[in-house]
Amino acid sequence: LGGSGMKAQMKYADRRMSPAAVILGGDEIAAGTVTVKDLDLGRALSAGVTDNAAWRTERPGQQTIPRGELITALRRILEA
């Protein structure tokens, strides 16, 4: 999903206190990657945010990694 559909799904995951979200869109499929958002870290860091533009640019807790590293990345998030 792109645009507002993705945004709605991220809000849904955040409301449910999901620890992470995995994004696998066309760009990721083409590149053999996956984007992982550490939602727990994002919630913790957002408490101190004063500059929304910088927050969106830096995207704390978000990483795009080779698809084969997905399980390792998710384990790190869940064990933190």
Side-chain angles (χ1 to χ4, degrees):
L1 290 174
S4 62
M6 171 97 81
K7 199 180 257 186
Q9 288 195 338
M10 286 297 126
K11 285 183 179 177
Y12 177 76
D14 195 42
R15 277 197 311 271
R16 292 185 57 108
M17 299 302 284
S18 299
V22 176
I23 302 165
L24 183 60
D27 291 345
E28 287 88 0
I29 290 169
T33 61
V34 63
T35 298
V36 179
K37 290 180 72 89
D38 183 336
L39 298 177
D40 284 344
L41 178 61
R43 279 188 288 270
L45 294 176
S46 70
V49 170
T50 55
D51 184 343
N52 283 334
W55 175 261
R56 283 193 298 272
T57 301
E58 293 166 16
R59 296 186 183 277
Q62 178 171 311
Q63 57 182 324
T64 299
I65 56 174
R67 214 169 302 152
E69 296 176 17
L70 174 61
I71 300 302
T72 302
L74 289 175
R75 278 196 181 120
R76 272 197 303 266
I77 291 170
L78 293 173
E79 291 169 358

